[in-house]
Amino acid sequence: MDILSIDALSDGEIAAILDRAGLFFAGNRGRRSTERLQGRIVFNLFYENSTRTAMSFATAAHRLGASAITLSVERSSVQKGETLEDTARTLNAMRPDALVIRHRENGAPAAVALIMDAPVLNAGDGTNEHPTQALLDAATIRHRLGRIEGLKVAICGDIRHSRVARSNAKLLPRLGAEVRLAGPPELLPDGLPRLSVDEAIAGADVVMMLRVQRERLEDDLGDAPGEYLARYGLTSARLASASPQAVVMHPGPMNRGVEIEPAVADDPERSLIALQVEMGVAVRMACLELVLSGDAP
Ligand code: NCD
């Protein structure tokens, strides 16, 4: 099986990943290594920049005893004009046990999955989906708040370009949460109700802020320094209108002082940003184990 999108996962698979991640998370803290995927080879193919996702998939593979091999795309034959399909055929011929791919084009991981014999995991494709991020966000919320059912989750910022928002908007309602998407009107997808950031945050249990993806914008926002934070960012004042126990999340990388005030990002009580990263390793361990469990070595 592949992990390409939230919709392609069954309720049972989602529950299994979240439960297993919870167990791995407990083990992670004790740094207990396992040998569940000993001898397996996981290829990491990142056509877009990444710190968290790339390192977290590699760490997850190593924690399970597998080897993660990372192709430096900027030094690969991609630079000589090789197509994505030919790269996939080449990598497939080396018989890896799984392939993790991030690509700037929507649907690239699905196209690669048609070629690869091994399972393919989508580590983010363009503005489409980032399923393992949504799974780690769900696992983080459940770990901290004990449930997802019935929670109000505000996801605020550059919704238009956010694969994190798209995957979360599919996953969290399936787990019983109410998701409110809000941001500057020019950064909301067409057809979405125009909800203001203040409206979304009011009474929310979880406030998830997103980076303005300036690299995907055709025209710059033209905002003056400090203007975005004042109008749409998460400040302590805005957070005060959320539920009294509200927690703060951000998939990273953060633009401090733009979508989030530094004091809020660093709030030791309410910010789950570091917990998201730690949970990311556990969730990716669960995902790798699930896709590789079918074929014993
Ligand atoms: C996000 C991504 O790449 O989609 N980062 C991540 O994976 N943690 C969000 C972003 O780039 O803003």
Side-chain angles (χ1 to χ4, degrees):
M1 77 173 276
D2 303 308
I3 297 186
L4 298 174
S5 64
I6 292 299
D7 286 348
L9 290 171
S10 68
D11 290 344
E13 286 161 348
I14 291 168
I17 291 168
L18 296 180
D19 288 348
R20 201 76 187 123
L23 294 176
F24 282 134
F25 180 81
N28 261 353
R29 293 218 146 158
R31 299 278 177 268
R32 206 179 316 123
S33 71
T34 74
E35 298 186 343
R36 305 189 65 83
L37 298 183
Q38 187 97 52
R40 306 298 186 91
I41 291 178
V42 178
F43 280 179
N44 261 333
L45 190 56
F46 280 70
Y47 285 81
E48 275 190 348
N49 295 348
S50 172
T51 298
R52 279 149 283 271
T53 309
M55 292 299 284
S56 146
F57 265 113
T59 304
H62 282 284
R63 286 249 163 85
L64 292 167
S67 301
I69 302 178
T70 299
L71 177 71
S72 336
V73 170
E74 68 286 354
R75 292 202 278 141
S76 71
S77 292
V78 169
Q79 305 306 330
K80 300 180 185 172
E82 187 169 64
T83 65
L84 179 64
E85 285 73 15
D86 282 336
T87 301
R89 284 184 200 103
T90 303
L91 296 177
N92 190 49
M94 297 176 201
R95 302 277 158 224
D97 296 288
L99 178 110
V100 177
I101 174 169
R102 164 171 292 188
H103 201 280
R104 76 191 78 81
E105 274 169 38
N106 294 9
V112 164
L114 291 176
I115 294 169
M116 299 296 297
D117 295 313
V120 173
L121 297 102
N122 179 3
D125 61 328
T127 58
N128 182 37
E129 281 232 29
H130 194 349
T132 62
Q133 178 71 42
L135 288 161
L136 79 85
D137 290 334
T140 302
I141 294 170
R142 200 169 77 169
H143 178 81
R144 175 60 182 261
L145 300 177
R147 67 191 166 104
I148 294 172
E149 176 94 51
L151 295 180
K152 299 181 184 72
V153 181
I155 304 181
C156 306
D158 185 356
I159 306 291
R160 179 186 283 273
H161 299 108
S162 179
R163 52 198 178 204
V164 176
R166 281 178 68 86
S167 287
N168 267 309
K170 290 179 177 167
L171 179 62
L172 296 177
R174 273 176 74 179
L175 299 170
E178 173 197 323
V179 170
R180 306 163 171 180
L181 301 172
E186 61 271 43
L187 296 181
L188 287 178
D190 303 331
L192 209 70
R194 292 268 179 272
L195 196 67
S196 76
V197 169
D198 290 289
E199 288 167 324
I201 292 177
D205 302 290
V206 176
V207 182
M208 187 186 296
M209 299 309 292
L210 302 171
R211 181 176 69 88
V212 181
Q213 305 205 8
R214 293 191 196 261
E215 74 276 20
R216 298 189 213 275
L217 282 178
E218 278 171 21
D219 302 309
D220 194 69
L221 289 182
D223 48 332
E227 188 184 336
Y228 190 95
L229 182 69
R231 294 180 67 181
Y232 310 110
L234 186 60
T235 57
S236 317
R238 278 207 176 92
L239 185 56
S241 75
S243 125
Q245 277 80 45
V247 292
V248 174
M249 300 175 73
H250 193 308
M254 273 187 284
N255 284 318
R256 286 175 174 268
V258 180
E259 70 270 7
I260 190 164
E261 194 177 80
V264 174
D266 299 332
D267 184 331
E269 293 301 316
R270 308 181 90 178
S271 170
L272 305 189
I273 297 170
L275 182 63
Q276 285 173 273
V277 176
E278 187 170 359
M279 191 59 84
V281 175
V283 163
R284 286 168 181 131
M285 286 170 81
C287 289
L288 285 171
E289 188 190 58
L290 178 69
V291 299
L292 287 170
S293 61
D295 55 334

